[in-house]
Amino acid sequence: QVQLVESGGGSVQSGGSLRLSCSAWGYTYSIQCMGWFRQAPGKEREGLATIASDGSTSYSDSVTGRLTISRDNAKNTLYLQMNSLKPEDTAMYYCAAGYNECHYAMQYWGKGTLVTISS
């Protein structure tokens, strides 16, 4: 079992930045992939970025250049640096982890942290 807790969400103005964090507990040594997802009101969940155990990253085309995913294995923490934020980035942001490669579904999810961008 793995427990994930997100933090760092909040309200910022358009053009601002936020850094989200995700702390992981439990059987974290077996995690192969971690990622960030978001879901806006009335929309489907959207994958944003993933990072594999070897450090390789992948991003959604919609956020490339504005978001950076990183992980600190010593702290069992995942990060998402978000820059040049837009009102359409308003959503609940979720951290996820999986024991398989990143193209497989994640097994564990956090409860999310809310990001609100005002114009």
Side-chain angles (χ1 to χ4, degrees), residues 2 33-34 37 51-52 64 68-69 75-76 83 89 102 104 116:
V2 173
C33 181
M34 297 189 76
F37 299 76
I51 184 166
T64 297
T68 303
I69 190 171
K75 296 181 178 180
N76 287 327
N83 300 323
D89 292 318
C102 287
Y104 290 99
T116 304

